[in-house]
Amino acid sequence: MYAALGDVAAARAAFASLPVRDVVAWTALVGAYADAGQLGEAFDLFESMQESGVMPDVISWNTLVSGFARNGDIRAALHLFDEMRLSGVEPGVNSWNCIISGCVQNARYDEALGIFGEMCESEMPDAVTVASILPACTGLMALGIGKQLHSYVIRCRIKLNVYIGSSLIAMYSECGEFGYARSVFAAIEEKNATVWNELIRSYIIEGRMNEAWEAFRLMQENGLQPDTVTYNSFIAAYARAGQKEQAYKLLSDMVDIGLKPNVVSMNALISGLHHHGHHVDALEAFRYMQLSNGGEAKGWALLGNPIQPNGTTITSVLSLLTDLKLDRLGKEVHCYALRSGLTSNIFVSSKLVDLYGKAGDMDTADKVFQGISNKNVVTWNSLLASYRKNRKPEIALKLFPGMLKSDVIPNLVTLQIALLSSGMTMALQYGRELHGYIRKNWPDGYPTALASALIDMYGKCGKIEAARLVFECTVEKDIATWNAIMSAYLLHRMPSEVTNLFKYIEQSGIQPDSVTFIMLLSACKQEGSMEEARRYFYSMEDVYSIQPTLKHYTCMVDIMGTAGLLEESLELIQKMQFEPDGCLWSTLLKACKLHSNLEIGEKATKALFELEPNNTSNYMLLSNMYANSGLWDSTEAVRVAMTEKGLNVERQCSCLYLGTAVHAFEAGDFSHPAFERILSTWKDLSNRMEQSGYPPQEIEPYCNAEADPLSCQHTERIALCFGLISVHSHDPIRISKNFRMCLECHSSIKFISRDMNREIFVSDGCTYHHFRNGACSCGDMW
């Protein structure tokens, strides 16, 4: 009784008063601690039971296994399951059901199906097994397995009770088989509210709201009153559709008939409002649900006590705050989650990693990640993606093997992140190994998302033929696949291939998207074709009904600015229907720097400083523009302004991959074990350059941590020297850098590529450079 009431202390006291403690009493106490989530104490009690001479029976083992499984520690549950068998206690169907149910409750559907398959080798599933595993089929959209389970129920004459029936209706509805869902509903003899709710939800999923309301009426005619779940389905539907007033009214209607909105009601409302872009309303809902009578301001009439947010609520709110880049509010919600004990929820902690990662606070993101005990693939993906987005893909690649060692199986998203990181760092060997893994796991052809990521990786690693081969071998190409190969051609300065592909797209009747036109405009920039760019730009809306976005205007400003049409660029900005963002003004500022136009450059700078007052790259652009014009006082003033604002420039870093090992060379850090040999190599190269009439700058600024942060630290030359030492003379050297190359480094590497007869690839975060025989693929325009 005390355990069922959640009073573990009272249960322990009652247990202590027993003169004789048998296996039933011990099991009841173990269950009390397991239900309360105190798994360590539950396990210790289980050990104490055996030490006292009482041997656990199958129910005792099931209680402990179930406790770990329900609380998300599936690995421990499986370990205990094996221990159970080793101890001589043969698990029954209920034992298997405990683990399957625990996996499903924690949304670990793949593991649930795996365990179910293992179970079927020794046990016949019962009605509880079927009802437990069907939600996993729903979560994975595994319609085939769900149909087999339905057939099994019919074949074995298992009664189609409300549990199996409602699970089947949910599975068929989610998989779009609404006819089957209705058939199952009709076959259930004794229908309860749960079954009716699933039918109503089926209509809602299909978008047939009139039929859903008709089912709502018939439910009442059959003597069953709609419950909170019924209303929650309608609230979620209206909130997702952006019909917030209807959602608010339903909340009030619930109260009018004596139902209290619960946390699920509010979660449905918050999630739906966020989904439809009603961000302020979603945040207000989160605030009001914690206040007594707080909802009256919205007409919700939320009477009584506040509704306590749960893990789902916090996950939704953190997702919303991440999208809105409200980092400070995100930290406040983090504090609330800590106080409420919700950070142990895997979805909350994963979203926190995502929040801090997107805010650029990788130290905190990593700290949150390290504190997660039950890391899953979503958690790992959040961290890996955060490092990639924060221009530290080499760390993402270093972490990937750790993920595999922790027995977390990578999913499609993981592989996309790893491939994109391989491309950013030019880690070709790493990318090839990932390609091998993908071929092994998708022998009949891999998803288009992975095909696009593979094309991107090979393109950025300088293997355009391999990228082309992946593209040609992808049978079902979507527009993202076409865009990926176009992007690869652009990297390799092959704009004519891009325009040829677009002609094929037009002839094939494939519908291009907005990204396609960004590729086309970029190709026009490489070709210097202003008229062609204008034709594509205006055909977007006129021919393809694609509304140009701010990115397309930015491309046009880039093309016109590069051509020196700065006044015309400014006019286009003033005429467009969007508010200019930092990227657009930055593009114009780069063009002003290229053509030494201080007047328009200062206008762009003023706008940039208003939009992004703390963006160091804006200060760097302005400083370099002044320096190029010989305005040293103005250059110094920019540096002083940065110092006064406390702005720090990210340290320059260049990476070179040898096999799957990364070698990072950061400005000011000369701890690499081969550093003396690197300096010696550079000295030899310097002498060769001088003898050829090319005087190189010294490499010393790299060793000086106090060097001007706005100046190039030449880390790519350090990485290149290490590559000359370490990479076989017939193999290309691939380097990635987080800052734009300076003119000195670019000229030096051109010389070295000819003098040493080496093929060198450098990706500097702005442009892709392929050096060969003293020339660069960028045409000295970057």
Side-chain angles (χ1 to χ4, degrees), residues 230-245:
T230 321
Y231 277 92
N232 287 348
S233 295
F234 283 106
I235 290 167
Y238 284 119
R240 270 198 311 273
Q243 297 171 296
K244 57 183 180 179
E245 297 306 326

Side-chain angles (χ1 to χ4, degrees), residues 640-699:
V640 170
M642 285 185 67
T643 305
E644 289 175 350
K645 283 181 171 286
L647 300 178
N648 295 313
V649 179
E650 180 187 354
R651 275 196 167 189
Q652 297 186 28
C653 181
S654 293
C655 294
L656 180 136
Y657 264 83
L658 290 177
T660 56
V662 61
H663 292 264
F665 300 91
E666 192 174 86
D669 178 13
F670 41 92
S671 60
H672 194 280
F675 200 77
E676 290 301 322
R677 290 180 64 200
I678 289 168
L679 288 180
S680 175
T681 302
W682 175 249
K683 189 175 180 180
D684 291 342
L685 288 170
S686 297
N687 291 334
R688 295 166 74 95
M689 282 187 244
E690 285 180 1
Q691 290 168 10
S692 299
Y694 175 76
Q697 290 181 358
E698 283 303 314
I699 208 165

Side-chain angles (χ1 to χ4, degrees), residues 262-336:
N262 59 13
V263 69
V264 179
S265 315
M266 299 308 296
N267 288 347
L269 182 67
I270 291 169
S271 176
L273 291 170
H274 176 205
H275 173 79
H276 210 268
H278 296 301
H279 305 309
V280 173
D281 293 292
L283 288 175
E284 282 184 354
F286 175 61
R287 182 163 61 90
Y288 288 145
M289 72 185 286
Q290 301 170 68
L291 303 173
S292 225
N293 300 325
E296 290 179 355
K298 277 283 178 189
W300 300 340
L302 301 183
L303 305 176
N305 296 325
I307 299 172
Q308 189 72 21
N310 62 10
T312 304
T313 323
I314 299 301
T315 303
S316 293
V317 172
L318 285 171
S319 179
L320 170 60
L321 296 174
T322 302
D323 291 347
L324 296 177
K325 299 181 180 180
L326 296 173
D327 311 335
R328 185 182 61 79
L329 286 176
K331 289 178 181 178
E332 290 181 14
V333 174
H334 187 183
C335 291
Y336 176 87

Side-chain angles (χ1 to χ4, degrees), residues 78 93 96-97 99-101 103-104 108-134 136-137 145-146 148-150 152:
L78 289 170
V93 173
W96 290 96
N97 289 346
I99 299 182
I100 291 170
S101 179
C103 288
V104 171
R108 299 172 74 160
Y109 303 129
D110 283 314
E111 289 168 271
L113 283 178
I115 293 163
F116 173 70
E118 189 179 343
M119 170 193 176
C120 292
E121 294 175 6
S122 58
E123 297 285 348
M124 290 287 287
D126 62 8
V128 176
T129 318
V130 175
S132 297
I133 197 63
L134 276 170
C137 299
I145 298 173
Q148 289 178 38
L149 285 164
H150 191 181
Y152 177 82

